[in-house]
Amino acid sequence: MSMALDELVRSAVAALLHASGESQAGLAAAVGVSQAQVSRRQSGAAVWSLADCEAVAAHYGITAHDLLAGPTRAAEALPAARRRVPGRHVPTARPATADGGV
């Protein structure tokens, strides 16, 4: 059984968010909508328009065709520079040392 187009887009966006490590808020800012709007689109309460799809695809550096083809194709098309690196994190503070930092 095949997925409906709106389900393919939601799945593809979820795959891109996961593969890139980006939050819904980050995607929202990049495509010019609110995080709540991204959440509604991802939950199925609203749909991604074709203009939204073009903006999302451009943001991730893929084609709209790759996005509309579904999650596997979208994630595979994601440029390496946009992929999150597992295990890499940005430290928020330097850890304290046992000798008081000296």
Side-chain angles (χ1 to χ4, degrees), residues 26-54:
L27 174 59
V31 299
V33 299
S34 70
Q35 184 277 325
Q37 289 172 313
V38 170
S39 179
R40 281 194 295 277
R41 289 175 175 115
Q42 284 303 97
S43 71
V47 296
W48 290 99
S49 70
L50 288 177
D52 293 332
C53 290
E54 288 178 335

Side-chain angles (χ1 to χ4, degrees), residues 66-88:
D66 289 330
L67 180 70
L68 296 173
T72 301
R73 174 87 171 260
E76 288 173 350
L78 186 66
R82 292 299 314 268
R83 295 180 185 279
R84 82 179 147 148
V85 177
R88 181 178 65 184

